[in-house]
Amino acid sequence: MAEKIDPWEQGAVKDYRRLMKEFGIEPFSSVLPKVPQPSLYMRRGVIFGQRDFGKIAERMKNRQPFVMLTGLMPSGKFHLGHKMVADEFIYLQERGAKVYICVADIEAYNMRDKGLKELRETAIEEYLLNYIALGLKPKNCDFYFQSERSKDAEKSNAYYRMVGIISRRVTMNEMKAIYGELTPGKMISVFTQVADILHPQLAQFEGKMPTVVPVGVDQDPHIKLARDIAAKLNKTGDFKFEAPSATYHEFMKGLKGGKMSSSDPLSYIALTDDPKTVKAKIMKYAFSGGKDSIEEHRKHGGDTKVDVSYQYLYSQFEEDDKKMAKIKADYESGRMLSGELKQLLCEKLEKFLTEHQEKREKARDQVHKFIGRD
Amino acid sequence: MAEKIDPWEQGAVKDYRRLMKEFGIEPFSSVLPKVPQPSLYMRRGVIFGQRDFGKIAERMKNRQPFVMLTGLMPSGKFHLGHKMVADEFIYLQERGAKVYICVADIEAYNMRDKGLKELRETAIEEYLLNYIALGLKPKNCDFYFQSERSKDAEKSNAYYRMVGIISRRVTMNEMKAIYGELTPGKMISVFTQVADILHPQLAQFEGKMPTVVPVGVDQDPHIKLARDIAAKLNKTGDFKFEAPSATYHEFMKGLKGGKMSSSDPLSYIALTDDPKTVKAKIMKYAFSGGKDSIEEHRKHGGDTKVDVSYQYLYSQFEEDDKKMAKIKADYESGRMLSGELKQLLCEKLEKFLTEHQEKREKARDQVHKFIGRD
């Protein structure tokens, strides 16, 4: 089914398939039947690939705990692309995951002209508040900063010492083969990310436990490296890690059909955007698969493979498969016009954003339950 | 004077001079007159070079606090070479230094086939107990492990986050120019050492404060890098560091005239060696500057430039300048035989080791005052 009403342009899909083969990523469809109540992203193929997700599905089925780890870079506005990842890990939290969320503030500090304090505020205002409004719960959640792992020194020490230990398990040639030429800062950032992925399994945290990391394919090198290093560390006898699992999601297209870019507010919809403004943005800028004239459109129909409004509905806002299939049929046959399709998305978005923004304001009272607890 | 009765072979001295010029290290003699009660190592030229030691001397003179940082690799036996460094930082502690001692256990873990727990025991048994017996006091001492900076999470977080921040202030080409080809592990170890040198000046520790690091010339790249990075971080406005100062000491010669090697117990005198064994070791193995026959020796005299027993007396065990000058005169004129010179060292060493080993046993009761306090 994912193929029939696939929201993404054919070219991109072909690329994803090629990448999967090259990288050794398994299709998500091969584990989908084992996942109890799969998420919309899983059902619709937005999550298209996986490594070792079978053991996570098994845990979900048996209601056994597992770890989900994700990272965020505290910069820019929280937009629909971020929402997709958040929806996914909140879904996993609801199904038993202990959720680890790492704020890569040291990396952001090194790359931007902002202090750690300002970055911390961005992480809370732009990320944490939106996560809470989307449904993240404080129970089974460890929201932490790379610059300040924990209020518990034992935990902090255990986490940071992993960076040094990990760095000895890989040669410079292996690093170059994976990442090309690297700066020293980028190298430390890679080892820190591997420590992020593996440390929830240390005795000071959860102990050995299946862990899933939801990523885009561009992050796969970190996953492979973390899996390699886990195996090498297990061999020393001092560590016991489950090889980390991963899911791979497609990148959400920008409003104008290209990439989302934080420097171009017309390329994305932020979750704090005023709903009225969003409507105007979509009507004016959303890349359309409709034809140039109504006559032509009625005759030939719209192209769902390139229509951004269609794809946003498909991937995030119209969960009902029957309704979605009807929209597809109507639009492709020309019964539905481009403006009508946009109107459908606007209605969904207006309702979502209005409710979300109320929840986000209420979420402020919850922040203390996520930060500075241990 | 240092030149007249210099304990080290001429070749080595020439090399040190060349190195100093190349590296931009200042002679220690240029600050010696400003140091109140200089140590034996300073007076005798064993400490031959310095960077920015003037501001430390100033602090000593005005009885203002300053920081001394040193590192140790927990492996092998604690020998006279280690004693030299310990004497020096204990001297500085007595003159107002807050002493930071870093156990490089992560580095040792990565290089050797030993667990962190075993390395911790070595650090205590071989290093800390000897330090305490040599006079190290718990007051104004922060003895810490790289794997576990502090029991205080704020301190640990502040220390470890420096590693990531430091890594972005240097390019791969700069690293290669300083260190040649590096493994990723070695690179992380360099940044950790820079963090070791700079972190005592963070707000969570002492705040901005002159810091001296006693090193051999081989460690100078770390000093230069730490000074460069301190300047770069000061420019961001987020940090305030005094450029770290350093002293440079000569390497102590091995018993047989070559290098000390932990794999050859006859090349060094350990502070836990049985005094009787030590006597036999010296009489049999200590490299002598004496002539082949007594007749020849009486006629031509011994060579203090190569005589290891003479050099040990000069650098560590005969503090009285007049007595030392007489030994030199007697030995070089042939009045004193090689065996007699060795006998002098044996007497000093036997007394020192016997007393030291008693103190070392008593030191066990003090360990808790150094470890796991904050």
Side-chain angles (χ1 to χ4, degrees):
Chain A
M1 190 189 86
E3 245 309 86
K4 264 192 189 157
I5 50 166
D6 193 289
W8 315 104
E9 53 187 351
Q10 203 58 42
V13 175
K14 268 189 194 147
D15 280 348
Y16 283 126
R17 294 233 169 102
R18 189 176 51 75
L19 278 174
M20 281 170 65
K21 215 168 177 180
E22 235 170 57
F23 288 18
I25 297 170
E26 297 292 315
F28 196 82
S29 54
S30 66
V31 290
L32 187 59
K34 292 177 200 154
V35 181
Q37 303 170 286
S39 71
L40 184 69
Y41 301 112
M42 293 172 174
R43 286 197 289 117
R44 296 259 167 101
V46 176
I47 293 177
F48 66 90
Q50 49 95 13
R51 279 187 200 277
D52 245 354
F53 193 79
K55 59 187 175 188
I56 302 292
E58 188 74 16
R59 288 256 155 177
M60 291 166 78
K61 206 180 108 195
N62 300 335
R63 295 166 188 274
Q64 287 174 307
F66 59 99
V67 168
M68 183 307 302
L69 178 122
T70 191
L72 69 93
M73 180 76 79
S75 72
K77 290 276 170 191
F78 190 93
H79 55 52
L80 292 182
H82 300 118
K83 172 180 173 290
M84 176 179 81
V85 179
D87 286 340
E88 192 57 25
F89 65 68
I90 291 164
Y91 159 88
L92 291 169
Q93 189 188 39
E94 285 163 356
R95 276 146 193 90
K98 171 86 186 247
V99 164
Y100 280 70
I101 303 171
C102 165
V103 181
D105 59 344
I106 295 278
E107 225 181 309
Y109 174 84
N110 282 328
M111 281 164 49
R112 292 160 221 277
D113 195 22
K114 283 178 183 165
L116 285 174
K117 208 182 151 198
E118 194 183 343
L119 292 165
R120 171 176 283 251
E121 277 161 23
T122 303
I124 293 171
E125 280 294 312
E126 282 300 327
Y127 290 80
L128 184 54
L129 287 180
N130 283 308
Y131 289 160
I132 298 171
L134 290 168
L136 185 69
K137 297 286 178 291
K139 200 189 159 195
N140 279 338
C141 180
D142 191 334
F143 185 91
Y144 69 94
F145 297 84
Q146 275 183 344
S147 70
E148 197 180 331
R149 175 58 191 91
S150 175
K151 301 277 179 204
D152 174 340
E154 269 194 55
K155 285 187 171 187
S156 273
N157 293 332
Y159 167 74
Y160 290 115
R161 89 169 61 110
M162 286 308 293
V163 178
I165 289 172
I166 285 163
S167 71
R168 285 277 170 174
R169 309 297 151 171
V170 57
T171 67
M172 199 59 103
N173 282 340
E174 286 166 330
M175 288 297 282
K176 279 182 189 166
I178 302 172
Y179 298 100
E181 285 299 324
L182 278 175
T183 63
K186 193 75 198 156
M187 196 164 293
I188 300 250
S189 142
V190 167
F191 297 136
T192 306
Q193 283 181 63
V194 174
D196 286 322
I197 293 172
L198 297 181
H199 87 284
Q201 297 194 55
L202 296 174
Q204 291 83 354
F205 295 87
E206 314 298 325
K208 186 181 180 185
M209 193 176 282
T211 299
V212 60
V213 191
V215 291
V217 266
D218 60 320
Q219 303 287 309
D220 189 52
H222 300 322
I223 302 293
K224 280 206 288 196
L225 186 60
R227 288 170 63 90
D228 281 359
I229 287 174
K232 284 181 188 168
L233 289 175
N234 285 348
K235 273 190 198 153
T236 65
D238 293 338
F239 296 93
K240 278 181 187 169
F241 293 117
E242 284 276 349
S245 309
T247 58
Y248 301 84
H249 51 253
E250 293 176 340
F251 297 105
M252 202 172 173
K253 216 180 269 181
L255 195 60
K256 296 188 285 188
K259 279 186 183 176
M260 294 192 201
S261 158
S262 58
S263 61
D264 176 11
L266 296 175
S267 71
Y268 60 81
I269 292 163
L271 268 65
T272 46
D273 275 352
D274 169 56
K276 297 272 173 285
T277 320
V278 166
K279 189 172 175 177
K281 240 187 195 179
I282 289 170
M283 296 316 278
K284 187 160 179 190
Y285 296 104
F287 190 85
S288 168
K291 297 295 179 289
D292 286 347
S293 69
I294 294 185
E295 292 68 34
E296 257 198 287
H297 189 85
R298 293 288 186 211
K299 198 168 158 193
H300 301 290
D303 185 354
T304 53
K305 301 258 183 266
V306 299
D307 196 291
V308 168
S309 304
Y310 176 84
Q311 293 174 11
Y312 282 16
L313 281 166
Y314 178 83
S315 64
Q316 292 200 26
F317 294 101
E318 183 48 75
E319 298 208 16
D320 186 317
D321 290 344
K322 278 187 193 156
K323 285 189 189 167
M324 200 65 230
K326 187 167 173 354
I327 292 168
K328 180 179 160 70
D330 286 354
Y331 191 59
E332 289 185 344
S333 68
R335 275 194 299 278
M336 182 184 282
L337 296 174
S338 181
E340 291 167 331
L341 180 65
K342 285 188 174 185
Q343 189 56 40
L344 280 182
L345 176 62
C346 286
E347 278 162 25
K348 289 277 185 185
L349 259 176
E350 191 171 354
K351 184 169 184 298
F352 165 73
L353 288 175
T354 307
E355 289 174 9
H356 178 80
Q357 288 169 15
E358 277 169 26
K359 286 184 200 160
R360 186 172 164 279
E361 277 315 306
K362 283 184 194 153
R364 289 187 191 282
D365 302 339
Q366 305 279 316
V367 168
H368 69 279
K369 294 185 187 166
F370 291 84
I371 288 189
R373 293 182 310 167
D374 58 13
Chain B
M1 189 190 86
E3 246 309 88
K4 265 193 185 155
I5 51 168
D6 193 289
W8 315 103
E9 52 186 354
Q10 204 56 44
V13 175
K14 269 188 193 149
D15 280 347
Y16 282 126
R17 294 233 168 103
R18 188 174 53 75
L19 279 174
M20 280 171 66
K21 215 168 179 180
E22 231 170 61
F23 289 17
I25 298 169
E26 297 292 314
F28 196 82
S29 54
S30 64
V31 290
L32 188 60
K34 294 176 197 154
V35 181
Q37 301 169 288
S39 71
L40 185 69
Y41 300 114
M42 292 171 175
R43 286 197 289 119
R44 297 259 167 101
V46 176
I47 293 177
F48 65 91
Q50 50 94 12
R51 278 188 199 275
D52 245 353
F53 194 78
K55 59 187 175 189
I56 301 292
E58 188 73 16
R59 289 255 154 179
M60 291 167 78
K61 206 179 109 195
N62 300 334
R63 296 167 188 271
Q64 288 173 307
F66 59 99
V67 168
M68 182 310 298
L69 177 121
T70 191
L72 70 93
M73 180 75 81
S75 72
K77 290 276 173 192
F78 191 95
H79 55 52
L80 292 182
H82 300 118
K83 171 181 174 289
M84 176 179 80
V85 179
D87 286 340
E88 192 58 24
F89 66 67
I90 291 165
Y91 158 88
L92 291 170
Q93 189 188 40
E94 285 163 358
R95 276 144 194 90
K98 171 85 187 245
V99 164
Y100 279 71
I101 304 171
C102 166
V103 181
D105 59 344
I106 295 277
E107 225 180 309
Y109 174 84
N110 282 329
M111 281 163 48
R112 294 160 220 276
D113 196 21
K114 283 179 182 163
L116 285 174
K117 209 182 149 194
E118 194 182 343
L119 292 165
R120 170 175 285 251
E121 277 161 23
T122 303
I124 293 171
E125 280 293 311
E126 282 300 327
Y127 290 81
L128 184 54
L129 287 180
N130 283 309
Y131 290 160
I132 299 171
L134 289 170
L136 185 69
K137 296 287 179 289
K139 199 189 160 196
N140 278 338
C141 180
D142 190 336
F143 185 91
Y144 69 94
F145 297 83
Q146 276 184 342
S147 71
E148 196 179 332
R149 175 59 190 91
S150 175
K151 300 279 180 205
D152 174 341
E154 268 194 56
K155 286 187 172 187
S156 273
N157 293 332
Y159 167 73
Y160 290 115
R161 88 169 62 110
M162 286 308 293
V163 178
I165 289 172
I166 285 164
S167 71
R168 285 276 171 176
R169 309 296 150 172
V170 58
T171 66
M172 198 60 103
N173 282 339
E174 286 167 331
M175 288 296 282
K176 279 182 189 166
I178 302 172
Y179 297 100
E181 285 299 324
L182 279 175
T183 62
K186 193 74 198 156
M187 195 165 294
I188 299 251
S189 142
V190 167
F191 297 136
T192 306
Q193 284 180 62
V194 174
D196 287 322
I197 293 172
L198 296 182
H199 86 284
Q201 297 194 54
L202 295 174
Q204 292 83 354
F205 295 87
E206 315 298 327
K208 186 181 180 184
M209 192 176 280
T211 300
V212 60
V213 191
V215 292
V217 265
D218 60 322
Q219 302 289 307
D220 188 53
H222 300 321
I223 302 293
K224 280 206 287 196
L225 187 60
R227 288 171 62 91
D228 281 358
I229 287 174
K232 285 180 187 170
L233 289 176
N234 285 348
K235 274 189 198 154
T236 66
D238 293 338
F239 296 93
K240 278 182 188 169
F241 293 117
E242 285 277 348
S245 310
T247 58
Y248 300 83
H249 51 252
E250 292 177 340
F251 296 105
M252 203 174 172
K253 217 180 267 183
L255 195 61
K256 295 187 285 186
K259 279 186 181 176
M260 295 192 202
S261 158
S262 58
S263 60
D264 175 11
L266 295 176
S267 70
Y268 60 80
I269 291 164
L271 268 65
T272 46
D273 275 353
D274 169 57
K276 297 272 173 287
T277 319
V278 166
K279 189 173 178 178
K281 242 185 190 179
I282 289 169
M283 297 314 280
K284 188 159 179 191
Y285 295 104
F287 189 84
S288 169
K291 298 294 178 290
D292 286 347
S293 69
I294 293 185
E295 289 69 34
E296 256 197 288
H297 189 84
R298 293 286 186 213
K299 197 168 160 192
H300 300 290
D303 184 355
T304 53
K305 301 255 183 265
V306 299
D307 196 291
V308 168
S309 303
Y310 176 83
Q311 293 174 11
Y312 282 15
L313 280 167
Y314 179 83
S315 63
Q316 292 199 25
F317 293 101
E318 183 47 76
E319 298 208 17
D320 186 316
D321 289 345
K322 278 187 192 156
K323 285 189 187 166
M324 202 64 229
K326 185 167 177 353
I327 292 169
K328 181 178 160 69
D330 286 353
Y331 191 56
E332 288 185 345
S333 69
R335 276 195 298 279
M336 183 184 283
L337 295 175
S338 180
E340 291 166 331
L341 181 65
K342 284 186 173 186
Q343 189 56 39
L344 280 182
L345 176 64
C346 286
E347 278 162 26
K348 289 277 184 184
L349 259 177
E350 190 170 355
K351 183 169 184 296
F352 165 73
L353 288 175
T354 307
E355 289 174 8
H356 178 79
Q357 288 169 15
E358 277 168 26
K359 287 184 200 160
R360 185 173 166 279
E361 277 315 306
K362 284 182 193 154
R364 289 187 190 281
D365 303 339
Q366 305 279 317
V367 168
H368 69 279
K369 295 184 188 167
F370 291 84
I371 288 189
R373 294 182 309 168
D374 56 15

